[in-house]
Amino acid sequence: MVDLQTIVDEIAAEMAQATERGAVASYIPDLARIDPAHFGIAVIGHDGVSYAAGDADTAFSIQSVSKVFSLTMTLGAVGDALWRRVGREPSGSAFNSIVQLETEQGIPRNPFINAGAIVMCDILLGRYEPREAIAQFLRFVRALAGDDGIVIDHKVAGGEQETGFRNVALANYMRAFGNIQHAVDKVLGIYFHQCALAMNCRQLALAGRFLMNGGRNPATCRSVVSPQRARRILSLMMTCGHYDGSGEFAFRVGLPGKSGVGGGILAIVPGIASIAVWSPGLNERGNSQLGTLALERLVQRTGWSVFEPVVLSAPEG
Amino acid sequence: MVDLQTIVDEIAAEMAQATERGAVASYIPDLARIDPAHFGIAVIGHDGVSYAAGDADTAFSIQSVSKVFSLTMTLGAVGDALWRRVGREPSGSAFNSIVQLETEQGIPRNPFINAGAIVMCDILLGRYEPREAIAQFLRFVRALAGDDGIVIDHKVAGGEQETGFRNVALANYMRAFGNIQHAVDKVLGIYFHQCALAMNCRQLALAGRFLMNGGRNPATCRSVVSPQRARRILSLMMTCGHYDGSGEFAFRVGLPGKSGVGGGILAIVPGIASIAVWSPGLNERGNSQLGTLALERLVQRTGWSVFEPVVLSAPEG
Amino acid sequence: MVDLQTIVDEIAAEMAQATERGAVASYIPDLARIDPAHFGIAVIGHDGVSYAAGDADTAFSIQSVSKVFSLTMTLGAVGDALWRRVGREPSGSAFNSIVQLETEQGIPRNPFINAGAIVMCDILLGRYEPREAIAQFLRFVRALAGDDGIVIDHKVAGGEQETGFRNVALANYMRAFGNIQHAVDKVLGIYFHQCALAMNCRQLALAGRFLMNGGRNPATCRSVVSPQRARRILSLMMTCGHYDGSGEFAFRVGLPGKSGVGGGILAIVPGIASIAVWSPGLNERGNSQLGTLALERLVQRTGWSVFEPVVLSAPEG
Amino acid sequence: MVDLQTIVDEIAAEMAQATERGAVASYIPDLARIDPAHFGIAVIGHDGVSYAAGDADTAFSIQSVSKVFSLTMTLGAVGDALWRRVGREPSGSAFNSIVQLETEQGIPRNPFINAGAIVMCDILLGRYEPREAIAQFLRFVRALAGDDGIVIDHKVAGGEQETGFRNVALANYMRAFGNIQHAVDKVLGIYFHQCALAMNCRQLALAGRFLMNGGRNPATCRSVVSPQRARRILSLMMTCGHYDGSGEFAFRVGLPGKSGVGGGILAIVPGIASIAVWSPGLNERGNSQLGTLALERLVQRTGWSVFEPVVLSAPEG
């Protein structure tokens, strides 16, 4: 059996050769300057052993991958009351579509589209001052990853100008329906800072371990969420984690995952591995072109799809 | 450990007591007359042992559950060429919505909404005469289930009047975009007959075994589809199998499944079990109210969610 | 003062020089073959004098212009009961859009989009056998124009293949909502024959006289509709007569008008003139490019806009 | 012949008896408190004689009626360049719908929906400081009405909280498409102050005189807009002046008009009269219930519809 380090090395080598790398997101100035040649991958096995290749130690803007942590933190704060204000269905439209909010009276379809994540920020504002909400969030992600070196890139947070207007529109639109209750600039202040979290693949994979592990952080042996809640978060990543490309990602990769416009993807193999990949070029649905391809190949070579009949263990390290 | 027969018996007993049973679909005359008190469940383990309770031997109209078999048969006929004419994304709207077809130029979002299944019938018509297409389909399902007693209820097929008009509209609309190529009445003739397949839970669970088993029918040891194709069909069941309630089903049950307006659901635990449940009352999304609840409880008691970290084996029989 | 014949001659000469002539509708085979060089204009004054130029005596397929006569005939048959099944608002979308029907439960926005005209055919079928409905319609238009030479082009009626599928879709979709009550093929049989009416500009302008004249046919002195109904038909032509280009037509021309994809337009100057223009090339909204331009110039030179402060009389003949 | 004062007196008396008065707009706090019993009407003939009845001298919030003056002023500032940023078609949806902006890339359908009027405020900001833009607008309307007593109700402007969020959403959404270029709070500051203009029927009818009179203010004999532009503004009032009830208003009244949620309507009879009505209760489309009914009766009794064959003169005063 081929060992896992060999597999990730091979994949990184293949990705370095790839010619169709997608297009770097252009609407956030600081992201637009990223070199599309980057590719990184990190895999943390359930035994804690890690396998990495490429630019696995280069930090990038995790953007919407942060919504996984935001959802986890919000469910911790208010539990299933969240679902009175946010739905659980795939959106069938782009990540920043406002149409659905009009037909569904200000209730976002799921927590992984922008509107849903913005509602979660509004919920946090019911508990914390804005500055404290951001600090709590950072502390939470650092604890998940076991790494206090993780920081928020305030330049990115401050510079979300173009996409900013759409998000301001979404927030005000939901406020008109009563589904945003605090001042929009404060709500979005939290949202933009969550999205501006800078992490590398290794840190991101570490932060995802609790989802591989039934809700328990294996490093601390502390429960982050209940096993049922971990499964439910994974189900939402599976059906809604890649915007209007979620069906395609499930079809090709077969794992719950969450992408961000910075080119990162967090994918979870329940009981087996937490995986982070990063490549800044995006496909036409706004998901990392090479990140998706790398995960597709990883799953082919490991048999890690959740739809695989027998997923007994990871390849040997 | 509680044995599986006990679990299905308990669930059947609980469902018999349920008061909120949903509403029986009213738009197909022969379905509207079904007694909502029915509930059946059948589980086939990977070892071939079956566990059943309630009305597991009462035949019902499988309706859209047939789309799983139709997809399998169509992929067998034309392979990935199917995806030039049908998408792979959740629809974000009702099963018979025509809006999406207008904005997406006659390409249905996925093979499990009506429009997608109708395109698959059109593809079959490129290979078979109408009568032969229906006969082939019936033969195919009989072989999957290993049961030649399975029949099409021609009264149901003939009586799809009210919903008929919408489906005629969908088919003609796609024909205007060139995505239906044969006479609409012939295409729909096949479609209505596929939907009118009458099966009981035991037969339906048997027919689903190949999906639990990496594409191979365990009874015949013959490959129905490749392992990759089996995983892909399961991914589509997960993201699109319950219309605009697919996210909710994944959230609550955590298994790939396909529902029909007759009240049946086929759900697959990869490597472990093929499950069929039936209860005619539907929830507001058009999926079996008690069928979903029964599956939710079954998964809670067995730990069979694909998002569960360790799914090593079935409870003992 | 320049006389009216000089004006129409000048306009015809200008149109002959025009280089941007739009695109001939391609989806009806017999229309696609029409030479885009055609241009015709006919004006009938309230005194019955006619002024014509260009191809005013060449017959063309009036297509949706027929909806004016169909609306008149249907209101004569059932009166305001029509408005229970058809709305009176501009559609805000293309002439054959099906989206609006889904959100508004099968009620077309107005009688001048295809869906609305199809409902009117269904209403006629409640009174006449199909063949008789078509014959009555032809007799009605012949009487309005005072010309028994007007015929239906059965080749065009029979050949509406491509657009046919969309119209079949629309009709079946409305039938699913109960807003079509007769067999769709019979309903559409009437619809296609109405659209296939072949008339030249002179005949069309004659047929429109009753609308210029408060509902009374000036040739027969017989009332076709009441003065109030004539005004209401004109108001619908103003707000809905050019599909999703109705606002633009009102802005540029300032007259109630109805266009067809054959390139014809009927426009009415209340109390003053009935005007028909024809040029087969269409603009991007599906309305005659040169027909609109010709009307715009005619109104500029005559001061005939209904929004003109003083519209005392026609220029001298 | 009945004289015009008698007609308006009769109508005011009939409206006082009306029982179905619609519902007062509730989303602007200061409007919600208005007594629905109010009804006022004022008619200014082309000879300058005025006829009024009911609460014709009670000021109300003209809200969206102000968009007529805003359009006039903006066209004066930038001419037809406006049409690169705003369309000219009826919207087919509610006055504050955001859906259309998504499908049409941030270009509002017409200048009379909120989004269109907000773009016009953005254009004014390219010429004036915010305070000056508001002052210029007030000066402009005062000059049209010949009444320096017209004021902006700053309490209403300040209090547009609930609807405010939707308008903030619309403005930010268009800014994301580049169709708003200045700070949203400044743009909306102008918008809310325009809407908060307090005028009575007599003042409003006076302000509309230039539209009855080919663009020239009859009191000053100065041209406000060219005759062509006056006709075009009237055409937009006809096709788009009553939101998604414009077709209905044209059908019933047959005049170009513009309504506001304060219950006011300005209607113009070209060459003959400028009319203002006010009654705060709104119908389900958001237009004044009794205002519309009063205009319908006025037109019936005067024959003033633009679709009337002979509109030679006003009834005698």
Side-chain angles (χ1 to χ4, degrees):
Chain A
M1 181 185 262
V2 178
D3 72 49
L4 190 49
Q5 184 60 50
T6 304
I7 292 175
V8 299
D9 285 340
E10 283 172 358
I11 288 172
E14 291 161 15
M15 295 305 117
Q17 303 301 320
T19 50
E20 293 193 16
R21 307 184 76 88
V24 175
S26 58
Y27 62 90
I28 302 178
D30 280 276
L31 299 190
R33 281 191 287 274
I34 305 293
D35 181 354
H38 284 297
F39 174 82
I41 182 167
V43 180
I44 314 286
H46 77 288
D47 54 5
V49 181
S50 74
Y51 310 84
D55 304 316
D57 294 307
T58 306
F60 58 91
S61 192
I62 72 165
Q63 292 294 318
S64 288
V65 183
S66 68
K67 293 176 171 66
V68 172
F69 309 122
S70 169
L71 171 62
T72 305
M73 189 172 159
T74 309
L75 285 170
V78 299
D80 288 339
L82 171 64
W83 307 119
R84 289 199 289 270
R85 294 177 59 183
V86 180
R88 301 195 282 237
E89 291 301 330
S91 65
S93 52
F95 66 96
N96 53 10
S97 171
I98 206 162
V99 170
Q100 173 265 327
L101 286 179
E102 179 157 328
T103 53
E104 299 184 346
Q105 305 283 304
I107 305 294
R109 286 228 122 199
N110 66 63
F112 290 155
I113 53 173
N114 292 17
I118 291 168
V119 168
M120 296 195 292
C121 293
D122 187 61
I123 290 172
L124 291 183
L125 268 184
R127 307 228 147 191
Y128 306 107
E129 290 303 301
R131 214 173 270 270
E132 178 61 12
I134 296 168
Q136 286 280 11
F137 181 75
L138 180 59
R139 213 170 297 143
F140 179 65
V141 176
R142 284 174 170 176
L144 291 178
D147 187 335
D148 282 354
I150 295 168
V151 294
I152 289 168
D153 184 332
H154 291 277
K155 191 140 164 289
V156 168
E160 298 218 21
Q161 290 300 338
E162 182 59 14
T163 187
F165 298 123
R166 267 188 185 251
N167 286 321
V168 177
L170 290 169
N172 276 284
Y173 204 65
M174 293 190 287
R175 188 154 193 200
F177 284 108
N179 202 20
I180 291 291
Q181 295 162 1
H182 299 86
V184 162
D185 59 340
K186 291 186 180 168
V187 174
L188 289 179
I190 298 175
Y191 177 72
F192 289 143
H193 281 81
Q194 288 178 345
C195 288
L197 213 56
M199 295 173 76
N200 62 38
C201 287
R202 208 181 291 270
Q203 291 166 328
L204 188 55
L206 286 167
R209 286 171 299 176
F210 76 102
L211 288 171
M212 138 182 85
N213 203 39
R216 203 168 40 77
N217 183 336
T220 61
C221 292
R222 302 248 295 267
S223 171
V224 180
V225 294
S226 70
Q228 185 192 50
R229 186 161 287 166
R231 290 195 304 272
R232 289 176 165 185
I233 293 170
L234 291 172
S235 80
L236 289 163
M237 292 169 73
M238 177 68 91
T239 56
C240 314
H242 280 70
Y243 309 118
D244 202 23
S246 299
E248 186 70 13
F249 186 84
F251 185 88
R252 288 176 55 192
V253 176
L255 290 178
K258 181 74 201 83
S259 72
V261 291
I265 302 175
L266 173 66
I268 303 295
V269 194
I272 300 205
S274 172
I275 309 165
V277 291
W278 171 55
S279 181
L282 307 181
N283 63 24
E284 72 285 353
R285 300 286 192 175
N287 301 307
S288 176
Q289 171 101 5
L290 294 190
T292 307
L293 182 60
L295 287 169
E296 190 176 14
R297 293 195 178 170
L298 179 66
V299 166
Q300 277 166 2
R301 295 172 198 183
T302 55
W304 279 353
S305 162
V306 300
F307 304 117
E308 190 77 35
V310 185
V311 185
L312 288 178
S313 63
E316 294 167 36
Chain B
M1 180 186 261
V2 178
D3 73 46
L4 190 49
Q5 184 60 50
T6 304
I7 292 175
V8 300
D9 284 340
E10 283 172 358
I11 288 173
E14 292 161 16
M15 295 304 115
Q17 304 299 321
T19 50
E20 292 192 17
R21 308 184 75 89
V24 175
S26 58
Y27 63 90
I28 303 177
D30 280 276
L31 298 190
R33 281 191 287 275
I34 306 293
D35 181 353
H38 283 296
F39 174 83
I41 183 167
V43 180
I44 314 287
H46 75 287
D47 54 4
V49 180
S50 75
Y51 310 84
D55 303 318
D57 294 307
T58 306
F60 59 91
S61 192
I62 72 164
Q63 293 293 318
S64 288
V65 183
S66 67
K67 293 176 172 65
V68 172
F69 308 123
S70 169
L71 172 61
T72 305
M73 188 171 161
T74 309
L75 284 171
V78 298
D80 288 339
L82 170 63
W83 308 119
R84 288 199 289 270
R85 294 175 60 185
V86 179
R88 301 194 284 237
E89 291 301 330
S91 66
S93 53
F95 66 95
N96 53 10
S97 171
I98 207 162
V99 170
Q100 175 264 326
L101 286 180
E102 181 159 326
T103 54
E104 298 184 345
Q105 302 285 305
I107 306 294
R109 285 228 121 199
N110 65 63
F112 290 154
I113 53 173
N114 292 16
I118 290 168
V119 169
M120 295 194 294
C121 293
D122 187 61
I123 290 172
L124 291 182
L125 268 184
R127 308 227 147 189
Y128 307 106
E129 288 303 300
R131 212 174 271 271
E132 178 60 12
I134 296 167
Q136 285 280 11
F137 181 75
L138 180 59
R139 214 171 297 141
F140 179 64
V141 177
R142 283 175 171 174
L144 291 178
D147 187 336
D148 282 354
I150 294 168
V151 293
I152 288 167
D153 183 334
H154 291 276
K155 193 141 162 288
V156 168
E160 297 218 24
Q161 291 299 337
E162 183 59 15
T163 188
F165 297 124
R166 266 188 185 251
N167 286 322
V168 177
L170 290 168
N172 276 284
Y173 204 65
M174 292 188 288
R175 188 155 193 199
F177 285 107
N179 202 18
I180 291 291
Q181 295 163 0
H182 298 86
V184 163
D185 60 339
K186 289 187 181 166
V187 174
L188 290 178
I190 298 174
Y191 177 73
F192 290 141
H193 281 80
Q194 288 179 346
C195 288
L197 211 57
M199 295 172 78
N200 61 38
C201 287
R202 207 181 291 269
Q203 292 166 328
L204 187 54
L206 285 167
R209 287 172 299 176
F210 75 103
L211 288 170
M212 138 181 84
N213 203 40
R216 204 169 40 78
N217 183 337
T220 63
C221 292
R222 301 249 296 265
S223 170
V224 179
V225 293
S226 71
Q228 185 192 51
R229 186 161 287 166
R231 289 196 304 271
R232 289 175 163 186
I233 294 171
L234 291 172
S235 80
L236 289 163
M237 293 169 73
M238 177 68 89
T239 57
C240 315
H242 280 70
Y243 310 119
D244 202 24
S246 298
E248 186 71 14
F249 187 82
F251 186 88
R252 288 176 55 190
V253 176
L255 290 178
K258 181 74 203 81
S259 73
V261 292
I265 302 175
L266 173 65
I268 303 296
V269 195
I272 302 208
S274 173
I275 310 165
V277 292
W278 171 54
S279 181
L282 307 180
N283 63 24
E284 73 284 353
R285 300 285 192 175
N287 302 307
S288 176
Q289 171 102 4
L290 294 189
T292 306
L293 182 60
L295 286 169
E296 190 177 14
R297 294 194 177 172
L298 179 66
V299 167
Q300 277 166 0
R301 295 172 198 183
T302 55
W304 279 352
S305 162
V306 300
F307 304 117
E308 191 77 33
V310 187
V311 185
L312 289 178
S313 64
E316 296 167 35
Chain C
M1 180 185 261
V2 178
D3 72 47
L4 191 48
Q5 184 59 50
T6 304
I7 292 175
V8 300
D9 285 339
E10 283 172 359
I11 288 172
E14 292 161 16
M15 294 305 115
Q17 304 300 322
T19 50
E20 293 192 16
R21 308 185 74 88
V24 175
S26 58
Y27 62 91
I28 303 178
D30 280 275
L31 298 191
R33 280 191 287 275
I34 305 292
D35 181 354
H38 283 297
F39 173 83
I41 182 167
V43 180
I44 313 287
H46 76 289
D47 54 5
V49 180
S50 74
Y51 312 84
D55 303 318
D57 294 308
T58 306
F60 58 91
S61 193
I62 71 164
Q63 293 292 317
S64 288
V65 183
S66 68
K67 292 176 172 67
V68 172
F69 309 122
S70 168
L71 171 61
T72 306
M73 189 173 160
T74 309
L75 285 170
V78 299
D80 288 339
L82 171 64
W83 307 119
R84 290 199 289 269
R85 293 176 59 184
V86 179
R88 300 194 284 236
E89 292 300 330
S91 65
S93 52
F95 65 96
N96 52 10
S97 171
I98 207 161
V99 169
Q100 174 264 327
L101 287 179
E102 179 158 328
T103 53
E104 299 185 345
Q105 303 282 307
I107 305 294
R109 286 227 120 199
N110 66 63
F112 291 155
I113 52 173
N114 292 16
I118 291 168
V119 168
M120 295 195 293
C121 293
D122 187 62
I123 289 172
L124 291 183
L125 268 184
R127 308 227 146 189
Y128 307 107
E129 289 304 300
R131 212 174 271 270
E132 178 60 11
I134 295 167
Q136 286 279 12
F137 180 75
L138 180 58
R139 214 170 297 141
F140 179 65
V141 177
R142 283 173 170 177
L144 291 178
D147 187 335
D148 282 355
I150 294 167
V151 294
I152 288 168
D153 183 333
H154 291 277
K155 191 142 164 287
V156 168
E160 298 218 22
Q161 290 300 338
E162 182 60 14
T163 188
F165 298 124
R166 266 187 185 251
N167 286 322
V168 177
L170 290 168
N172 276 284
Y173 204 64
M174 292 189 288
R175 188 157 192 197
F177 285 107
N179 202 19
I180 290 292
Q181 295 163 0
H182 299 87
V184 162
D185 59 339
K186 289 186 181 167
V187 174
L188 290 177
I190 297 174
Y191 177 74
F192 289 142
H193 281 80
Q194 288 179 346
C195 288
L197 211 57
M199 295 172 78
N200 60 40
C201 288
R202 208 181 291 270
Q203 292 166 328
L204 188 54
L206 286 166
R209 286 171 298 175
F210 75 104
L211 289 170
M212 138 182 81
N213 203 40
R216 202 169 41 79
N217 184 336
T220 63
C221 293
R222 301 248 298 265
S223 170
V224 179
V225 294
S226 71
Q228 185 192 52
R229 186 161 287 165
R231 289 195 305 271
R232 289 176 163 184
I233 292 170
L234 291 172
S235 80
L236 289 162
M237 293 169 73
M238 176 69 89
T239 57
C240 315
H242 280 71
Y243 310 119
D244 202 23
S246 299
E248 186 70 13
F249 186 83
F251 185 88
R252 289 177 55 192
V253 176
L255 290 178
K258 181 74 202 82
S259 72
V261 291
I265 303 176
L266 173 65
I268 303 295
V269 194
I272 301 210
S274 172
I275 310 165
V277 291
W278 170 55
S279 181
L282 307 181
N283 63 24
E284 73 285 353
R285 301 287 191 173
N287 301 307
S288 176
Q289 171 100 4
L290 294 189
T292 306
L293 182 60
L295 287 169
E296 190 177 15
R297 295 194 175 172
L298 178 65
V299 166
Q300 278 166 0
R301 296 172 197 183
T302 55
W304 278 353
S305 162
V306 300
F307 304 117
E308 190 77 33
V310 186
V311 185
L312 289 178
S313 62
E316 295 166 35
Chain D
M1 183 186 260
V2 177
D3 73 49
L4 190 49
Q5 184 60 50
T6 303
I7 292 175
V8 300
D9 285 339
E10 283 172 359
I11 288 172
E14 291 162 17
M15 295 304 115
Q17 304 299 321
T19 51
E20 293 193 16
R21 307 185 75 88
V24 175
S26 57
Y27 61 91
I28 303 178
D30 280 275
L31 298 190
R33 281 191 288 275
I34 305 293
D35 181 354
H38 283 297
F39 174 82
I41 182 168
V43 180
I44 314 286
H46 76 289
D47 54 5
V49 180
S50 74
Y51 311 84
D55 303 317
D57 294 308
T58 306
F60 57 92
S61 192
I62 71 165
Q63 292 293 319
S64 288
V65 182
S66 67
K67 293 176 171 68
V68 172
F69 308 122
S70 169
L71 171 61
T72 305
M73 188 173 160
T74 309
L75 284 171
V78 298
D80 288 340
L82 170 64
W83 307 119
R84 288 200 290 268
R85 293 175 60 184
V86 179
R88 302 194 283 236
E89 291 301 330
S91 66
S93 53
F95 65 96
N96 51 12
S97 172
I98 206 160
V99 169
Q100 174 264 326
L101 286 179
E102 180 158 329
T103 54
E104 298 184 347
Q105 304 282 305
I107 305 294
R109 287 227 121 201
N110 65 64
F112 291 155
I113 54 174
N114 291 17
I118 290 168
V119 168
M120 295 195 293
C121 293
D122 187 61
I123 290 172
L124 291 182
L125 268 184
R127 308 228 146 190
Y128 307 106
E129 289 303 299
R131 214 174 271 270
E132 178 60 12
I134 296 168
Q136 286 280 13
F137 181 75
L138 180 58
R139 214 170 298 141
F140 179 65
V141 176
R142 283 174 171 175
L144 291 178
D147 187 336
D148 283 354
I150 295 169
V151 294
I152 288 168
D153 184 333
H154 291 276
K155 190 139 165 287
V156 168
E160 298 220 22
Q161 291 300 339
E162 182 58 17
T163 186
F165 297 124
R166 266 187 184 251
N167 286 322
V168 177
L170 290 168
N172 276 284
Y173 203 63
M174 291 188 289
R175 188 155 192 198
F177 284 107
N179 202 18
I180 290 291
Q181 295 162 1
H182 298 85
V184 163
D185 59 340
K186 291 185 180 168
V187 174
L188 290 178
I190 297 174
Y191 177 73
F192 289 143
H193 281 80
Q194 288 179 346
C195 288
L197 212 57
M199 294 172 79
N200 60 39
C201 288
R202 207 180 292 268
Q203 291 166 328
L204 188 54
L206 286 167
R209 285 172 300 176
F210 76 102
L211 289 170
M212 137 182 83
N213 203 39
R216 203 169 40 79
N217 183 337
T220 62
C221 291
R222 301 246 299 265
S223 170
V224 179
V225 294
S226 70
Q228 185 192 52
R229 187 161 287 166
R231 290 195 304 272
R232 288 176 165 183
I233 293 171
L234 291 172
S235 81
L236 289 163
M237 292 170 72
M238 177 68 92
T239 57
C240 314
H242 281 71
Y243 309 119
D244 202 24
S246 299
E248 187 69 15
F249 186 84
F251 185 88
R252 288 175 57 192
V253 176
L255 290 178
K258 180 74 202 82
S259 73
V261 292
I265 302 176
L266 173 66
I268 303 296
V269 195
I272 301 208
S274 172
I275 310 164
V277 292
W278 171 54
S279 180
L282 306 180
N283 63 24
E284 72 285 352
R285 301 285 192 175
N287 301 308
S288 176
Q289 172 100 5
L290 293 190
T292 307
L293 182 60
L295 286 168
E296 189 177 15
R297 293 193 179 172
L298 179 65
V299 166
Q300 278 167 1
R301 295 172 199 183
T302 56
W304 278 353
S305 162
V306 300
F307 305 117
E308 191 78 32
V310 186
V311 185
L312 289 177
S313 63
E316 295 167 36

